[in-house]
Amino acid sequence: MSSEDKDIPQNTQELTTFVQNLLQQMQQRFQDMSDAIIQRIDDMGSRIDELEKSIGDLMLQAGIEESTAITDGT
């Protein structure tokens, strides 16, 4: 038997175990990817909040009120 042959399930119990392990691995990979995506979205949200605050601060320094800028479309 070659090393490849011993990785191939030989009966229904081995096949069931193999498929369950494969599904668990896939589920873990999807969970890891999902966690990474959520973390990136959270980071982007924080960066957007910081950007909005910086823009507001700059507008205050320039003497522009936010309501005027929004109304004028600038």
Side-chain angles (χ1 to χ4, degrees):
M1 230 189 236
S2 71
S3 63
E4 289 180 12
D5 290 340
K6 68 180 181 179
D7 292 339
I8 297 173
Q10 299 297 317
N11 58 45
T12 57
Q13 180 61 36
E14 287 181 9
L15 181 60
T16 300
T17 303
F18 175 79
V19 170
Q20 287 175 340
N21 289 336
L22 185 61
L23 290 173
Q24 287 174 349
Q25 290 173 5
M26 289 174 58
Q27 182 176 4
Q28 185 60 49
R29 287 181 183 159
F30 280 120
Q31 186 62 50
D32 292 346
M33 287 190 306
S34 176
D35 292 344
I37 291 169
I38 290 170
Q39 182 61 47
R40 287 182 181 184
I41 290 171
D42 288 344
D43 291 345
M44 287 175 57
S46 297
R47 293 173 73 185
I48 290 170
D49 291 343
E50 291 173 13
L51 181 59
E52 287 175 338
K53 183 184 180 312
S54 295
I55 290 170
D57 292 345
L58 288 171
M59 290 173 67
L60 284 175
Q61 289 175 2
I64 301 172
E65 293 183 23
E66 288 185 44
S67 60
T68 304
I70 293 171
T71 305
D72 293 343
T74 55

